[in-house]
Each structure stands twice: as C-alpha cells, then as structure tokens.
Amino acid sequence: MSVQERKERERAGRERLIVATARELAERQGWDAVTTRRLAERIEYSQPVLYSHFRGKREIIGAVALEGAAEMAVALRATTSAADGPRARVAALAHAYLEFAARNPAVYDAMFRLDGGLAFADEDTPEPLKDAFAALLETLGEVAGDGVDPGLFTEVFWASLHGLASLTRAGRLPPEHTGPRVELLVDRLAMV
C-alpha cells in the first residue's frame, strides 16, 4: 500500500468517525448539542482537522442525511421484498418508513427537517437521496393507478408518511393508532 493510499484510508476513517460521532451525539442530545467544538473534543482531533473534512455543521448534517438515506433505502427494500402482494408491500413499506423515522429521529431530522445543503428533486440530488426515493417508487409505482404518474403518486404517499412520522413524534398523534392510520392510508391511496 502506498503512502497516498494509507493517507486516503486514514482520511476516510476520520470522516466516518466525525459522522458517526455527530449522529450519536444528535440522537442522544439533539442537533443543538452538535457543535464543531464538541465533535473535535469527542473524536480527539483539533477543530482545524474537523474543518479539513467538513466546512461546518451544515455539511456534517448533510453527510448524516446521506448515510441515513442509504440505510432507509436498504430497510425499505428488505421489508417490501419479504411481503407477498402489492397491498402487503405498500403496508410493509409504510410501517418500515415510520419505524425508521421513530428509531432514528436525529437522522430523520437531518434527512428532512434540517439544512444539510443537499439538493432534493433536482439533477444535482446526491445518489443516496435518489436511491431512497427509488426504494419508495419501486413499491408505490405499482399501485399508483391508471393514468396516475407513479413519481407524483410516490411524492404524495411519501408526504403522507412524513406527516404521520412528524406529527406522531411531536405528540400531535397518539402512537397507538399508527397501525389503523397506515391501513387507512393504504386503503385510500393505493389502488390495490
């Protein structure tokens, strides 16, 4: 292994450490607790080293969001692949989405609530975000209905899931009714 390869591997390892530490801190104490100073202390590197990887908290949030999007895509595909039939796949997808949001609130915030400097619904959208949307579209596109654009249907269904996730987390919707809400959403929107 060349010196350059070793340096690149070490740099990538530091980046992973920064992202993992930010994510852990955000999940435990919220994103307000994530500062470059605290991250530098926790990873035992100086702030200039941290800034050599990320220009600031916004880019760190973006990195967490990309990691979360990749994880969400894997979770959605794993869940839907185990379901039998279109309706079961849509219901499984909805439950997996809401479970991901509930289990990873800080990551979910990085993905959809906070400014991570990432472009959505644009040709500059990073691949992990495109893939997370594709994971939704793969299942939802098959139930969009005749004459309905599958992408548009996926956006509406996704917005519904996001609303359920956000309102439940905020205490506006009681979590014990998540199952019936998902059933209603699937029955009314999915043409199966």
Side-chain angles (χ1 to χ4, degrees):
M1 174 180 305
S2 73
V3 172
Q4 181 65 27
E5 289 172 330
R6 181 184 53 78
K7 285 183 180 183
E8 288 174 13
R9 189 180 74 238
E10 289 171 355
R11 180 174 176 76
R14 278 192 308 273
E15 266 186 34
R16 284 191 304 275
L17 177 62
I18 293 165
V19 171
T21 303
R23 184 175 173 167
E24 177 188 344
L25 188 57
E27 290 292 1
R28 288 186 181 182
Q29 299 177 27
W31 278 104
D32 288 342
V34 179
T35 64
T36 54
R37 181 178 177 185
R38 286 184 86 183
L39 285 174
E41 289 171 2
R42 290 216 174 183
I43 65 171
E44 299 177 345
Y45 284 100
S46 67
Q47 282 183 299
V49 169
L50 195 141
Y51 283 117
S52 74
H53 291 275
F54 299 99
R55 286 183 287 214
K57 183 176 177 176
R58 181 180 187 218
E59 284 190 4
I60 294 168
I61 290 169
V64 170
L66 293 176
E67 189 175 90
E71 291 171 9
M72 178 183 272
V74 168
L76 296 177
R77 286 187 176 109
T79 300
T80 56
S81 70
D84 186 30
R87 187 188 188 294
R89 280 191 291 280
V90 173
L93 175 120
H95 284 290
Y97 184 98
L98 295 173
E99 287 169 17
F100 181 90
R103 272 194 325 271
N104 306 284
V107 172
Y108 192 81
D109 284 349
M111 292 167 65
F112 300 120
R113 193 179 67 78
L114 301 174
D115 179 10
L118 303 172
F120 282 82
D122 189 83
E123 58 186 56
D124 294 333
T125 301
E127 280 307 312
L129 297 178
K130 288 179 183 178
D131 190 48
F133 185 78
L136 292 166
L137 181 62
E138 289 161 11
T139 295
L140 296 170
E142 70 178 304
V143 298
D146 293 337
V148 177
D149 177 86
L152 190 60
F153 177 78
T154 300
E155 290 172 353
V156 171
F157 201 95
W158 170 31
S160 299
L161 291 174
H162 176 69
L164 289 174
S166 299
L167 291 169
T168 301
R169 182 166 157 213
R172 305 293 195 280
L173 297 175
E176 63 269 17
H177 298 299
T178 298
R181 281 189 205 101
V182 168
E183 293 303 311
L184 182 60
L185 180 64
V186 172
D187 287 344
R188 298 299 170 116
L189 285 185
M191 304 301 284
V192 286

